[in-house]
Amino acid sequence: AQSVSQHNHHVILSEAASLELGCNYSYGGTVNLFWYVQYPGQHLQLLLKYFSGDPLVKGIKGFEAEFIKSKFSFNLRKPSVQWSDTAEYFCAVTVNFGNEKLTFGTGTRLTIIP
Amino acid sequence: DAMVIQNPRYQVTQFGKPVTLSCSQTLNHNVMYWYQQKSSQAPKLLFHYYDKDFNNEADTPDNFQSRRPNTSFCFLDIRSPGLGDAAMYLCATSGDSLWEQYFGPGTRLTVT
C-alpha cells in the first residue's frame, strides 16, 4: 500500500521568507500527487496537483511543487510567504487509474509571523 | 455555488448513543467519501461510495456504517460511539476526475 511522509510537523517563518515543505511517498508505480491546504476553521482545499507531464506544477496563491520521480518526492514551494499562508498543509497521493483512494500525509502546520 | 455541505458542524453525543452525521453535495459527483481526522493526524478514509457501490476500508470498525439514499446525500452512522471516536469527520466528493476530491467543512464530534 502507498504511504506519504511529511517530515516537517511545524514550520515557523517570517513574512517574505521562502518556503519549502517536504513530501515523500512510497509506491513503485504511477502516482497522482496533490497538495491540500486547510486554513484555520476552513475546509480542505486543493492547492495543486500532478497527474503527468511537466514535473513542475503551479497552483493557486503562488504555490508550486516539483515532482522528482527518482526521489519519490513532491515538495511544495513558495518564494515569498504571506501571513495569510498560515495553515495546515497536507500532501496526498493516489495510485493506479480508477483507484479513488487518496492517502494523506500527517500534515505540516505552517505559521507565518508578520 | 456548488459545494459539499455537512450538518451539523458540531455534534455532541453520549458514550454508546447512536449518532448520524450528514453530507450533501450540489456538485452531482458520483463518488462520495467519509474520512475521520483526529487531532494532528492525517485524514483517514473510512469508506466511499461509487454511485451506489459501497467500498469499506479494511480497518474501518464495524461500529461505523454509511448510507447513500441518492446521489446528493450520504450519511455516516456511528452505532455505539466510544471516547476514541471523538474526531473531525470529513465528507468529500469526486466526479469525472476521480482523484480530485472536494471537501466539506467537517463535523466535529465530541463523545461525553
Side-chain angles (χ1 to χ4, degrees):
Chain A
Q2 67 271 27
S3 65
V4 179
S5 299
Q6 292 180 248
H7 302 294
N8 309 110
H9 298 296
H10 189 192
V11 173
I12 302 173
L13 294 172
S14 298
E15 273 192 311
S18 64
L19 169 72
E20 181 159 2
L21 301 182
C23 171
N24 289 91
Y25 66 92
S26 66
Y27 185 75
T30 303
V31 294
N32 307 299
L33 295 155
F34 306 82
W35 276 97
Y36 280 85
V37 60
Q38 190 168 28
Y39 297 103
Q42 296 188 29
H43 59 278
L44 278 163
Q45 301 172 47
L46 184 67
L47 259 185
L48 47 78
K49 60 191 177 189
Y50 171 80
F51 288 169
S52 64
D54 189 343
L56 182 63
V57 292
K58 295 191 184 298
I60 60 171
K61 305 188 180 188
F63 287 90
E64 64 178 32
E66 185 175 13
F67 171 51
I68 303 179
K69 190 175 181 180
S70 61
K71 294 185 178 180
F72 297 89
S73 71
F74 190 57
N75 291 355
L76 181 70
R77 300 194 293 247
K78 186 171 184 179
S80 176
V81 294
Q82 301 171 304
W83 177 79
S84 58
D85 294 324
T86 295
E88 187 97 20
Y89 292 81
F90 292 93
C91 183
V93 63
T94 63
V95 300
N96 297 333
F97 182 83
N99 183 336
E100 304 88 1
K101 182 174 179 176
L102 190 65
T103 300
F104 285 90
T106 52
T108 297
R109 184 153 59 102
L110 176 65
T111 302
I112 306 300
I113 302 170
Chain B
D1 286 343
M3 55 198 305
V4 182
I5 304 159
Q6 289 188 247
N7 286 306
R9 294 291 306 275
Y10 300 91
Q11 175 74 59
V12 181
T13 190
Q14 293 177 335
F15 183 93
K17 185 174 181 180
V19 65
T20 295
L21 309 182
S22 72
C23 176
S24 63
Q25 54 129 340
T26 60
L27 297 160
N28 203 32
H29 284 167
N30 52 358
V31 191
M32 294 187 77
Y33 309 79
W34 279 104
Y35 291 87
Q36 180 192 63
Q37 186 180 20
K38 295 188 176 180
S39 182
S40 302
Q41 296 185 23
K44 177 181 178 297
L45 183 65
L46 296 173
F47 24 59
H48 73 277
Y49 277 93
Y50 193 119
D51 292 325
K52 291 186 181 293
D53 292 333
F54 178 70
N55 298 272
N56 197 32
E57 291 300 297
D59 56 355
T60 298
D62 293 339
N63 198 26
F64 291 85
Q65 305 284 317
S66 186
R67 296 170 283 135
R68 189 179 185 185
N70 54 51
T71 300
S72 301
F73 285 88
C74 195
F75 299 98
L76 170 62
D77 301 308
I78 308 176
R79 293 191 298 186
S80 182
L83 297 178
D85 297 327
M88 179 73 84
Y89 289 88
L90 303 173
C91 176
T93 71
S94 64
D96 293 335
S97 175
L98 290 176
W99 311 286
E100 183 166 349
Q101 296 186 16
Y102 296 79
F103 285 83
T107 294
R108 182 167 295 284
L109 178 68
T110 300
V111 182
T112 61

